[in-house]
Amino acid sequence: MLMLEQLNIVQGDFGLRADWSVPAGTRVAIIGPSGGGKSTLLGAISGFVEASGRVLWANARLDGLAPGKRPIAMLFQDQNLFPHLTAAQNVGLALSQKRLAEAERSRVENALVRVGLEGLNNRKPAQLSGGQQSRVALARLLLQDRPLWLLDEPFAALGPGLRSEMLALVHQIAGEVGATVLMVTHDPEDARRFAQAIVMVDQGIAQAPRPTGQVFANPDAALRDYLGL
Amino acid sequence: MADRLRGLIPLIAAALVGAAVLLPLAAVIWRAGGLSPLDSRSWDAVWFTLWQAALSAVLSVGLAVPVARALARRRFRGRSALVALLGAPFILPVIVAILGLLAVFGQKGWLSDVLGLFGLPAVRIYGLHGVLLAHVFFNLPLATRLLLQGWQDIPAERFRLAATLNFRPWTMFRLIEWPMLRRIAPGAAMVIFVICLSSFAVALTLGGGPKATTVELAIYQAFRFDFDIGKAAQLAVVQLVLAGGAALIAMKLTLPEAGFGGLDRVVPRWDGSRIVDGFWIALVALFLLLPLAAIGLRGAGALFSLPASVWQAAVYSVSVSIGAVVVTLALALPLALSRRKWVELVALLGIASSPLVLGTGLYLMINPFIAPWDVALPVTAGVNAVMALPFALRILRPAAAQIEAEHGRLADSLDLRGWARLRWLMLPRLGRPLGFAAGLTGALAMGDLGVITLFADPDTATLPLQMYRLMGAYRMEQAAGAALLLLILSFGLFWIFDRGGRANADA
């Protein structure tokens, strides 16, 4: 379970608070108006943004740990791959920061096959399409063996068709490894299709997650504003 | 624990640089016994140093204004080659340029030949005007690049607006160009002033005599001709005050950045005379190309009949140069990767100290223990490494910061730290700037004629020193051959390093 206890982020005159928990294995969408602090919330959980309060995973405190030491794998809006490394090297960094052993190399290969990139191991990001780049990043996520995935609109640059394809893939793979996923999106439709629970971020508060069906069936004032209803 | 140790590496690098600069300075100050009254010859040297540096700065920037403006508003074939040529004097060995300038402007040079056809007397190059000629040769291109950058930073919309309002040239200058010049030109002049304050090789070859001696040259003369180490130390303190003071003043000014590239854009304009612009472009192209052509023409014949001493000197120079590259990169890399502010101060140490001051101090430190000429080559490599360090940092630091900004988050989230971060992120992405910094350092060390003059015995010489000795012995053919060899080695070394950096830098 991911628990945020009295989490409080202050950046100049911007503030954001959160105090709730998410059961392990849940897919959560974080929605809300732009500038509301959706990415900042992910930043605080992953350790890129300073915050007071506590972040716990499986009852262990994460706050105070460096981002790379947290049980968290992350996809950003952009720059998810090192442009000078091949697809296989990028994915391989999930397993080891040294030369890969034979067994590790075949795991990398399998992960690339799993995301539909068979035979593209030696391509560099510039030689891959946007969708393929996202798949490489997903393959790395798959091997990183970290139970909590934070996705910060990683597919925002893709077209609607590709985006829902990628979301379906994340859905499947996260299910296979039992990952807990927190995903920022600005598309309510994506949130509805992908997530089991919704966190609304607005007016300095990240509300506690509520079941997706319930949220969209009875939108509260904040969601109605956001959706323009 | 390992992280703590790694955090120490930039500190150690900084401490090494600090020791390499401050210990010799302390030795100099100690030997000079503080500031004692100067004799009149030394005062002459101080005034000449300031006067020639000021004139060089004003002339270089003044001439750069029409040249940069012409380059900013004219598109012509060979423009990018000319802009690249403007970067060449930076890595051109001073002594090579001087031989080239002598071949064109000297008493037996091409200009004198042409004047002779009209019954006019030959030019006399030695003295203040010779020093200025050489300084303008080196710094006019620098000033032009700085000002060209300024011109290109003026938004194109302003020139479009000026064209629709049919501004007269004077209005255009007053309202659009003058404000930019007022911002850039003083800084450019200051940079050149500081460079020329430490002029040694130019003064050594084209100046000299009581009326045209810089402080750096006076240090050398006290050392080599008067065998008066105390006086050399006293002059070194004077030089330290001059260069340090100028560096402090320069820090207050916002100095323009000479971008290394990105000067390809021509802002469309509808004003100015093609003929006037063409005149300035041709003039600067000839001014830069003729001396180089002279070296090529005169040197080619002698290149294959050079004495063994020249080849021996070339070997020494290549090893000095590679040694300097290794030391500079080993110091610059950890400093560039460190995000601490004090790294700037380390760079400043290199800028404020001059080769002959450091050389004097090192001589004082080494002399009691071993014969200085035994370590002439390592000392030359070391001093050049310190001198090149500010340039290397200027190239590497912004590049490293940009890599961090773009990819640091991803590296953090993958827990890439220390050696792994260096291997997977920094080194592959720093390839180009590393190659460029190595190339500059290598070429500068290759062509340096400074500290080696204090340390060398008659049997050892780097190539620039050997060339200078050949010139002193009036063996001009061989000197030209050695100059061509030095030119090829300097540019070749730069090219190899720069290429090497690019080779791995795809995507």
Side-chain angles (χ1 to χ4, degrees), chain A residues 48 67-69 76 78-85 89 93 97-99 124 126 140 144 146, chain B residues 406-417 420-421 423-426 428-429 504 506-507:
Chain A
F48 286 104
K69 298 292 184 201
F76 306 101
D78 48 20
Q79 308 282 18
N80 282 307
L81 301 175
F82 291 126
H84 52 279
L85 301 182
Q89 285 174 317
L93 282 176
Q97 299 181 1
K98 305 199 173 76
R99 249 184 91 82
K124 291 195 175 172
R140 190 183 61 219
Q144 259 181 297
R146 296 191 178 184
Chain B
E406 281 176 13
H407 306 288
R409 255 182 351 178
L410 176 57
D412 284 343
S413 85
L414 292 171
D415 202 24
L416 286 176
R417 284 169 303 122
R421 199 185 189 90
R423 171 183 169 194
W424 291 107
L425 176 58
M426 292 323 261
R429 295 210 72 75
N504 295 317
D506 51 345

Side-chain angles (χ1 to χ4, degrees), chain B residues 321-394:
Chain B
S321 167
I322 289 172
V325 168
V326 170
V327 175
T328 300
L329 291 190
L331 292 171
L333 196 58
L335 287 173
L337 295 179
S338 165
R339 277 168 255 180
R340 308 283 169 82
K341 273 258 182 261
W342 48 255
V343 171
E344 306 285 338
L345 288 177
V346 178
L348 201 69
L349 279 179
I351 295 173
S353 50
S354 79
L356 271 92
V357 174
L358 285 189
T360 309
L362 287 169
Y363 189 97
L364 289 169
M365 287 163 64
I366 290 168
N367 198 30
F369 306 106
I370 34 175
W373 45 87
D374 285 345
V375 288
L377 297 180
V379 163
T380 306
V383 169
N384 272 290
V386 171
M387 291 294 143
L389 190 63
F391 298 112
L393 283 176
R394 188 97 161 260

Side-chain angles (χ1 to χ4, degrees), chain B residues 62-84:
Chain B
L63 290 171
V65 170
V67 177
R69 176 157 67 172
L71 282 170
R73 65 185 177 188
R74 298 290 164 210
R75 189 189 296 276
F76 53 94
R77 278 182 64 170
R79 181 185 179 279
S80 57
L82 182 57
V83 170

Side-chain angles (χ1 to χ4, degrees), chain B residues 9 23 37 49 77 84 103 107 111 124 131 133-134 190 215 242 287 293 303 335-336 412 429 431:
Chain B
I9 295 177
L23 288 180
T49 302
R77 278 182 64 170
Q107 207 158 0
L111 182 62
R124 295 192 54 88
V131 171
L133 181 74
M190 193 67 208
V215 177
L242 285 182
F287 183 44
L303 190 57
L335 287 173
D412 284 343
R429 295 210 72 75

